[in-house]
Amino acid sequence: MKNDTLVNHPPAVLMPADDRPLVAPIYQSVKFSFDDTGETLRYLRGEREGFFYSRSSNPTLKQLQLLLAQLQGRDDCLLTASGVATLAVTLLSLCKQGDHVLAFVESYGPTRYIVQHLLAKFGVAHTLVSIEDLGGIERVLRNVPTRVVVFESPTNPVTKIADIEHLTAHARRAGAVTVLDNTFAGFHNHGAYDIDIFLHSLTKYASGHGDVMGGAIIARSELIAAMRKDIVSMGPTLDPHAAFLIQRGMRTYFLRYERQCANALACSQFLKSHPRVNCVHYPGLDTHPQHALARRQMRDFGAVVTVELDGGFEQGARFAEALQFFSISASVGSAESLVMPPQLLAGNEYTPEQRAASLIGRGTVRLSIGLEDAADLVQDLGQALDKAYI
Ligand SMILES: *Cc1c(COP(=O)(O)O)cnc(C)c1O
């Protein structure tokens, strides 16, 4: 063997069967090889376990898939390279020309884009109502044959709570598939409800450190099996190294989520008492209009706190810029605190009626509360509010 052959066939190191790494290695390999053609064919026919090509399966991804499915209380999971990919490929796989989708005014912007523009290109119709409009939800599901209901709870940015029991009961009666983007609530919430498919952006609380993107589609195995070929053929797979980082992030998921929720409650209680803050949206506050519903549905309430500041754009930007421990940035659920000033939240393509339902106004500021010391965060919010109104 010459050296240029050798570098392409490096020495194999096999682990003895009774000797295992405590942290699973990263299988940074696109291909996996069986000993012979017969075993390869058996694998491809689904007659044996194994791995062949990382676009469809990889051991590093498999570990994360098993973990996330179990946490969310379903049997199977597919991983994608970002959270929005879960929305795009799930909806494309579920819908065909002539179908109808029920979506919500308060949904994540790219979700609305996918429903209103991408699916529309393929002849899929939609209705958008407010997540609080229970009568509207009932009416649509009773009168329009609906393939999919896609929703969130709490919603972004104003943390409205979907009435999940009401929504799933009406969807089930209408024969619609329910898809919950559960990113804000996390894997430990909502699993007991009659929801068909859970989607998560792993970029947020799962990885937790703001250094990797990913998405998860979690459902019972028949549903995943029905979508698997479509989704694998669209090619959105997660990279093994990213899966490894997310798996590592998951070790501290509960510690981080609990701490971030406690910090969020402390921040929201302080903000509620401040004279320049007209309203605080946090489902954990007993002043939140759907606090009782949130308590019934959730174990804890997440780390997104949104405020309505006195004044408008100018004060919102001054407040955001004066904050020391909150960076002006997109995203939520990271270890460090983040802030979105009103100018960055206002870009939605809403009709005036939809804008009113969205509750996003000129003084709306979204905070994603991180892992810092709660007293430091409260002190920072106070000094930034002082500076915003000098
Ligand atoms: C961030 C987010 C997404 C998209 O996730 P990416 O990983 O950024 O693509 C989808 N849904 C919700 C609710 C989100 O917050």
Side-chain angles (χ1 to χ4, degrees):
M1 202 196 303
K2 301 285 194 298
N3 279 348
D4 42 5
T5 304
L6 174 64
V7 293
N8 286 295
H9 296 269
V13 178
L14 296 178
M15 291 292 290
D18 65 346
D19 178 14
R20 293 169 209 92
L22 289 192
V23 174
I26 311 175
Y27 286 89
Q28 194 75 51
S29 180
V30 173
K31 295 142 292 178
F32 297 84
S33 183
F34 295 98
D35 284 341
D36 56 49
T37 315
E39 288 306 307
T40 312
L41 282 172
R42 284 203 334 112
Y43 167 78
L44 291 174
R45 287 195 293 255
E47 294 163 12
R48 63 159 290 169
E49 295 284 304
F51 300 93
F52 188 59
Y53 195 57
S54 281
R55 191 187 330 106
S56 47
S57 65
N58 172 288
T60 308
L61 271 67
K62 181 86 181 190
Q63 184 183 31
L64 185 58
Q65 287 166 314
L66 293 171
L67 173 70
L68 298 182
Q70 196 169 329
L71 284 182
Q72 188 64 86
R74 296 297 184 274
D75 342 294
D76 209 351
C77 172
L78 291 171
L79 297 174
T80 62
S82 72
V84 292
T86 66
L87 284 148
V89 300
T90 299
L91 294 173
L92 283 169
S93 178
L94 290 173
C95 297
K96 63 178 187 311
Q97 186 175 28
D99 281 345
H100 173 259
V101 172
L102 175 59
F104 297 92
V105 171
E106 298 87 347
S107 293
Y108 185 57
T111 304
R112 280 182 284 117
Y113 176 84
I114 290 166
V115 170
Q116 294 179 284
H117 297 278
L118 182 64
L119 292 183
K121 285 207 288 191
F122 300 100
V124 177
H126 66 269
T127 305
L128 225 53
V129 303
S130 167
I131 195 72
E132 292 176 298
D133 182 5
L134 302 192
I137 293 170
E138 265 184 73
R139 228 171 4 261
V140 172
L141 289 173
R142 200 175 325 108
N143 299 327
V144 190
T146 296
R147 171 67 177 144
V148 175
V149 182
V150 56
F151 71 109
E152 287 158 43
S153 187
T155 64
N156 178 14
V158 298
T159 71
K160 289 189 194 178
I161 304 297
D163 186 332
I164 301 179
E165 209 163 276
H166 173 271
L167 195 152
T168 52
H170 286 280
R172 188 61 71 213
R173 206 163 301 144
V177 178
T178 46
V179 178
L180 171 58
D181 179 343
N182 211 21
T183 301
F184 271 39
F187 305 92
H188 59 297
N189 276 306
H190 300 150
Y193 286 92
D194 182 24
I195 291 155
D196 294 309
I197 301 175
F198 289 94
L199 306 180
H200 289 268
S201 167
L202 305 178
T203 314
K204 314 291 169 57
Y205 296 103
S207 63
H209 296 75
D211 51 8
V212 61
M213 302 191 83
I217 303 165
I218 303 171
R220 59 183 185 276
S221 38
E222 313 90 80
L223 263 175
I224 295 285
M227 298 191 293
R228 183 185 300 276
K229 190 151 191 184
D230 287 353
I231 290 178
V232 168
S233 301
M234 287 186 257
T237 194
L238 188 65
D239 181 77
H241 190 257
F244 171 84
L245 289 173
I246 295 164
Q247 177 75 58
R248 185 169 68 165
M250 285 307 295
R251 286 180 181 258
T252 54
Y253 167 78
F254 285 103
L255 287 174
R256 285 185 286 102
Y257 201 94
E258 273 169 31
R259 170 66 176 267
Q260 285 175 264
C261 288
N263 281 357
L265 186 62
C267 290
S268 56
Q269 279 164 341
F270 166 74
L271 289 163
K272 196 177 72 168
S273 70
H274 197 283
R276 294 295 193 171
V277 179
N278 294 338
C279 178
V280 182
H281 304 281
Y282 183 64
L285 283 181
D286 56 15
T287 47
H288 186 288
Q290 294 165 299
H291 177 65
L293 179 62
R295 277 212 98 80
R296 217 162 47 240
Q297 294 186 171
M298 304 177 78
R299 271 170 49 187
D300 40 22
F301 307 103
V304 174
V305 176
T306 296
V307 290
E308 303 300 332
L309 293 187
D310 220 10
F313 274 3
E314 197 195 329
Q315 280 76 15
R318 271 167 53 184
F319 169 65
E321 287 159 16
L323 285 164
Q324 192 185 348
F325 300 128
F326 294 73
S327 305
I328 297 175
S329 172
S331 200
V332 302
S334 204
E336 72 283 345
S337 292
L338 306 169
V339 58
M340 283 277 267
Q343 290 85 339
L344 300 185
L345 292 170
N348 289 302
E349 42 170 69
Y350 281 134
T351 64
E353 200 182 26
Q354 290 171 343
R355 177 159 301 284
S358 81
L359 299 186
I360 300 172
R362 294 177 68 84
T364 307
V365 177
R366 186 185 77 186
L367 300 163
S368 169
I369 309 297
L371 289 170
E372 299 90 342
D373 179 80
D376 278 350
L377 294 178
V378 165
Q379 184 274 333
D380 193 26
L381 292 166
Q383 68 78 25
L385 282 167
D386 291 345
K387 285 206 181 107
Y389 292 96
I390 286 172

